[in-house]
Each structure stands twice: as C-alpha cells, then as structure tokens.
Amino acid sequence: EIDGFGGDEGATLLVEGQAQEKNGEYNNHYAYVFKISKGKITSLKEYSSDLLVALRVYDYKLVEAND
C-alpha cells in the first residue's frame, strides 16, 4: 500500500512492505521524504524500522538489559 502527500518544495511517501525472510515475517512501514527544488529532487531520506531488519533479516536476538 502506498500513500503520500506533498507540495512544490517536497513530498512524503508512506509505504507498507510485506515479505517472508529467513527469520519470520518482514512487514515493515517506510516513509520516504523528498525535497524538491526547481522541479528536481535534491534530497531523499528513508525512515523504517532498523530493529525489524536486524531481527528478521540478520538474525539478531533481543536480550534483557541489566540495570
């Protein structure tokens, strides 16, 4: 699913992705933030869940923190 909003100086796309990885389902949400100048993209930032990537793609494990 894709949703978005924007104007003359920028735009944001909200995207949902679904996949099956070696360590379980990888259903992530992304936000792409574009800055635009003179009709051209001048920068792009991507936001997603780094924790989900670590757990599902790279097989990292969560451990309890000791105070």
Side-chain angles (χ1 to χ4, degrees):
E1 181 176 327
I2 299 176
D3 194 7
F5 53 91
D8 292 339
E9 295 181 7
T12 299
L13 289 179
L14 305 174
V15 181
E16 293 182 26
Q18 297 178 353
Q20 183 66 37
E21 285 293 333
K22 64 181 180 178
N23 299 304
E25 288 185 2
Y26 178 74
N27 301 332
N28 209 340
H29 298 264
Y30 305 88
Y32 297 96
V33 180
F34 298 86
K35 289 192 179 181
I36 300 170
S37 178
K38 299 179 184 175
K40 297 187 180 201
I41 297 170
T42 58
S43 71
L44 167 63
K45 291 184 181 181
E46 175 189 355
Y47 298 90
S48 66
S49 173
D50 293 340
L51 179 60
L52 186 60
V53 173
L55 295 173
R56 296 296 190 251
V57 179
Y58 297 111
D59 200 24
Y60 287 18
K61 304 292 183 213
L62 291 178
V63 295
E64 189 173 324
N66 295 325
D67 292 323

